[in-house]
Amino acid sequence: QVQLVESGGGSVQAGGSLRLSCAVFGYIHGSLCMGWFRQAPGKEREGVAHIDGAGTRNYADSVKGRFTISQDNAKSTLYLQMDSLSPSDTAMYYCAADYVCRHKYSDNVFVGRGTQVTVSS
């Protein structure tokens, strides 16, 4: 059974940084496209960043230049480095993965339970 477990969320002031981690437990055959999604209160869940099996990265316009997605295959861990955080980044952040990149969180085969990020002004 495959599990994705996020960590690294917390509270930070505007302008600060956080690094989220998503550990993958269990055996996965083949390469995955892994991504971060977020959902703010009262808003729909949205894609933040993806990285596919070839290492190609894609970002939402709202986080370009501030967030960096990366992965450590040896540790089976996905990361999201978040810099220059603003209150609008406050949300629950979720890790998800599938054999192709999915723009909708719920379409992913593997999903995590989320980690909360709160940015105060």
Side-chain angles (χ1 to χ4, degrees):
Q1 184 176 358
V2 175
Q3 287 186 314
L4 306 183
V5 180
E6 302 96 333
S7 62
S11 297
V12 65
Q13 289 191 328
S17 298
L18 282 173
R19 188 176 81 155
L20 306 183
S21 299
C22 172
V24 180
F25 297 95
Y27 177 76
I28 295 176
H29 180 71
S31 63
L32 297 174
C33 179
M34 300 194 69
W36 289 97
F37 295 78
R38 67 184 182 185
Q39 186 168 22
K43 294 187 177 180
E44 292 187 356
R45 197 168 295 174
E46 62 177 356
V48 175
H50 280 88
I51 183 169
D52 66 16
T56 301
R57 297 167 171 82
N58 286 287
Y59 297 93
D61 288 342
S62 58
V63 306
K64 280 181 182 176
R66 300 188 300 121
F67 290 11
T68 303
I69 189 170
S70 63
Q71 60 187 12
D72 185 333
N73 290 327
K75 296 182 179 180
S76 298
T77 302
L78 178 73
Y79 301 100
L80 185 68
Q81 177 67 42
M82 305 186 296
D83 298 319
S84 302
L85 285 163
S86 70
S88 61
D89 295 314
T90 295
M92 183 71 81
Y93 283 72
Y94 300 87
C95 172
D98 204 325
Y99 296 100
V100 295
C101 290
R102 306 288 187 189
H103 295 292
K104 191 174 180 181
Y105 171 83
S106 59
D107 289 340
N108 283 271
V109 173
F110 310 112
V111 297
R113 294 187 176 184
T115 185
Q116 178 68 38
V117 171
T118 302
V119 185
S120 58
S121 57

